[in-house]
Each structure stands twice: as structure tokens, then as C-alpha cells.
Amino acid sequence: MLGACGGDAAPASEAGTPTTGAATSAASAGAAQATSTHPALAEVPVIPEAFKSAMTPEDNIDSVASWTHADGRTWVFATAKSTDRLVVYDGDTGETLRTLGERGEGDGQFKRPNGVFVIDDVLLVVERDNRRVQGFALPSLEPLGHFGTDELVKPYGLWVDKADGGYQLYVTDAYMAGEDAEGEDILPPFEELDERVKRYSFTVDGADIQGELAGAFGDTGEAGALRVVESLWGDPANDRLLVAEEDETYANEFKVYDLEGDFSGQVFGGDTFAAQAEGISLYTCGDGGWWVTTEQARDVTTFHLFERDSLEHAGAFRGEMVANTDGIWLHQEPTRNFPQGAFYAVHDDQGMVAFDWRDIARTLELPDCR
């Protein structure tokens, strides 16, 4: 992920970028508020991880997504940015099952894979340096093709929904306006942040994936502008798309858009987060549920739950070891070892951990959603 993962520089705050004097003042006020209201770590309940995978720091693990095979096995796919491949884990034990891919531009090859997503029997991977979204069939992992190279500049995260007999894919695009003398990214001016999210329509026909650009959006006002972006997640039932603001010089918060790309005027998390806003997922519980979000600090990760509808803070927890988390994924279906589902989280760019949802629900006193 951006900034705190160590793989991407934080943007410079210079004249000509969206970080104006007013924005800096607002950010300072927001940071002070976050510090004053953030729960002390000693007050955040600790939930032991159910397992941790092998740690492979050379991979620079970023994001995870899971899928259940017809025979009941659960696989977790993780993007390895530095080795240009995917790592496949057993979702019940954390055992490394295999790797997929190598550096290159062809089908089945990668250049800095970042975001990963599973929907139905399709695995989708965003490649930052190939500037594309690549598809794979499950369970064969045969390449289906790719799209997006004509429009994407610096893509990172993605979220996918079914629509009109196919799929709608939203991908964040963290294009910049160059670098300063010290090699730090310079944010574009507000008026150039109107394509921070690209939306694609795509279909899968046999062994072929076909996608086309359906639009791009991003608010150009101070409150709704998407300065540094990667993680996003949608809620079609409530016409919402949450985008994490990862520019810590401005705020640690989530911006609420609708699925057409209009900023709702709502932001949340700024009075709760003291560190960078990162991965997002949604746990559905009837018409309700919880947004599960990531507060990424170098030495510890705190996971915060917000009510699905009201966006009110509903609780927080941390693990015994998990820290510096980028991507997360909620597997809400039962697995062999997790009868009420599992919560997967990247650990310190080196591997991933799992939490049993029963432990989360019991600790935070959440209702039973089976």
C-alpha cells in the first residue's frame, strides 16, 4: 500500500499541490482530534491470531483475497510486489500452497502486482507497473487476459460488483504530478484529481476477459478530494463506495462516495484514527453489518468496526502480533476450521494472519449473523 508500507514514498507538500494552507490547518486540527480521542492501545482488546503464514520479507506482501473450492478447500491469494508474483496460502492453516507468475508483460506475468480481488470463479489482479487489471480462471489459474492499459497510470486497489449480466470494477489510480528535488511525489492540483477512480465494465466468456472503461471520477473540492488513494470497497445495497484517504499530511479518514462517483459529503474515521487509514471490507448481517477498517501503524495494527448504515464506531481490536497491515479480506462463508468465517490480514509486508470471526464477534459482543 501507499506510504506506510515502505514501498512507496509519501507525497510532498509543496506549492501547487492540494495541500494548501487551509488544508494544512484542517489537517493539524484533525490530527489533534484523532490523538485526543484515539483509544489507548492498552484499552483495545487483543484477539489472538488463529494462525500466521510463513514470513517471506523478500516478497513484500501487499493485499489478500480468498476463494473456496468446490471440494471445500479455501485458498488465500496474496500479491508479492517485490518478486512480481502471487503467493497462494491455505485459508484454514496458513500453509503456503504455491506461487504464481514471474516478472514480465505477458499473460500470467506481473510487474508489481498490488490489489487482488475474487468474485465468483474469477481472480483479478491490479499491476501498478504494467498499468492493467489481469484476470485468471479459478481453480485452474489460467490467464484470461487483461484490460486498462490505455487509461490507467498508477493503479493500486480494486473492488468489483455484479451488474447488468457482467461486472463493474472500480480501481484507484494514484497518478502524481512528478517528483520534487528529493524524489518525493508531488500531488496534482485539485482540478486534476477528477480521475482518481476508474470504473470498468467487464465480462468473462469462457477463457477470455473483456473490459472497457465506463467512467472516471474524483471530487475536486477540498473535503472530497482523493489525495493519496489505494483501498476502496462498495456497498451496493446502500449505494456507497468508501475510499481510504492515505495522505497523512491531510487526514486519516474514509470518504463516502456513491457508486456513480459523486462525493456524498460524508467522511469518517478522522476522530478515531491516529495512524494511516488502510484496508477496508464489509461484513454483512441481514440489512446491517459492519465496515471493518485498518489503522496501520508500523508496530501494531488496530482494526476498527463502524456500523454499516450510520458509520458510527462500533469497536476495535488488535492481534497479538499483526502490525503494519496493508490489505485485509473478510471471508464470510464457513470454512473447515472457521465455521463462521475468517478475517485475513497482511502482516508487516511479509505474510498474512487469520482471525476466527467467532473470536471477533464474541470479544466485541456482536450479534450472531449465521
Side-chain angles (χ1 to χ4, degrees):
M1 299 275 174
L2 295 176
C5 75
D8 298 278
S13 299
E14 296 195 349
T17 76
T19 310
T20 63
T24 302
S25 298
S28 299
Q33 184 181 26
T35 301
S36 65
T37 62
H38 182 268
L41 284 178
E43 300 173 2
V44 175
V46 175
I47 299 176
E49 291 86 350
F51 68 70
K52 70 173 181 177
S53 71
M55 296 292 110
T56 55
E58 67 276 8
D59 279 322
N60 196 355
I61 299 294
D62 187 272
S63 299
V64 286
S66 64
W67 176 81
T68 298
H69 195 283
D71 65 9
R73 291 176 295 161
T74 300
W75 293 349
V76 180
F77 305 96
T79 51
K81 296 185 293 189
S82 294
T83 52
D84 299 299
R85 63 183 185 176
L86 302 183
V87 181
V88 186
Y89 303 107
D90 185 304
D92 281 300
T93 67
E95 175 189 357
T96 301
L97 300 176
R98 61 168 294 181
T99 61
L100 174 70
E102 60 185 2
R103 184 170 180 81
E105 300 177 359
D107 291 342
Q109 297 179 320
F110 304 104
K111 281 189 178 178
R112 200 170 177 88
N114 202 84
V116 61
F117 199 95
V118 171
I119 188 165
D120 294 332
D121 292 335
V122 180
L123 170 68
L124 297 148
V125 183
V126 172
E127 301 171 64
R128 189 194 72 177
D129 292 355
N130 271 335
R131 306 189 341 271
R132 67 186 186 183
V133 179
Q134 187 171 184
F136 294 84
L138 292 171
S140 68
L141 292 174
E142 290 296 318
L144 297 171
H146 59 83
F147 56 88
T149 53
D150 292 337
E151 303 88 19
L152 295 171
V153 179
K154 199 175 182 180
Y156 276 92
L158 75 165
W159 175 77
V160 185
D161 184 37
K162 292 184 179 181
D164 301 325
Y167 303 92
Q168 288 284 312
L169 180 150
Y170 297 75
V171 56
T172 49
D173 199 353
Y175 53 87
M176 292 293 170
E179 297 180 347
D180 64 12
E182 297 180 353
E184 298 290 330
D185 286 332
I186 299 173
L187 288 173
F190 282 128
E191 61 268 20
E192 295 179 11
L193 294 177
D194 59 343
E195 296 188 358
R196 263 312 196 230
V197 180
K198 306 289 198 309
R199 185 171 72 244
Y200 289 87
S201 298
F202 76 90
T203 57
V204 178
D205 183 9
D208 184 52
I209 191 169
Q210 294 289 333
E212 63 177 20
L213 184 69
F217 58 86
D219 196 79
T220 56
E222 182 177 323
L226 301 172
R227 292 159 175 81
V228 178
V229 291
E230 180 171 7
S231 300
L232 75 170
W233 200 274
D235 180 8
N238 291 297
D239 191 24
R240 276 178 170 167
L241 183 74
L242 270 56
V243 187
E245 176 57 75
E246 298 193 15
D247 182 359
E248 290 188 275
T249 67
Y250 175 74
N252 301 306
E253 64 186 15
F254 299 93
K255 311 244 173 120
V256 183
Y257 279 68
D258 65 25
L259 295 179
E260 288 299 312
D262 295 319
F263 176 53
S264 70
Q266 290 181 290
V267 299
F268 70 97
D271 60 349
T272 305
F273 280 39
Q276 190 179 57
E278 266 287 357
I280 315 168
S281 198
L282 178 64
Y283 190 98
T284 59
C285 183
D287 294 332
W290 306 274
W291 294 99
V292 183
T293 65
T294 307
E295 181 187 0
Q296 180 197 57
R298 180 66 63 181
D299 57 346
V300 64
T301 296
T302 305
F303 301 105
H304 295 269
L305 276 67
F306 295 87
E307 295 288 347
R308 180 183 184 182
D309 296 329
S310 69
L311 304 179
E312 293 293 324
H313 193 254
F317 70 94
R318 58 189 176 99
E320 292 182 338
M321 64 169 287
V322 66
N324 195 28
T325 298
D326 289 316
I328 62 173
W329 184 272
L330 271 168
H331 189 93
Q332 199 162 334
E333 298 80 16
T335 77
R336 291 173 177 173
N337 288 351
F338 302 112
Q340 292 185 30
F343 175 60
Y344 301 111
V346 171
H347 171 60
D348 201 24
D349 302 336
Q350 302 178 55
M352 67 102 175
V353 303
F355 293 90
D356 191 320
W357 182 261
R358 292 174 298 177
D359 294 336
I360 298 171
R362 180 173 56 252
T363 301
L364 299 184
E365 299 181 346
L366 304 176
D368 189 338
C369 292
R370 286 174 291 180

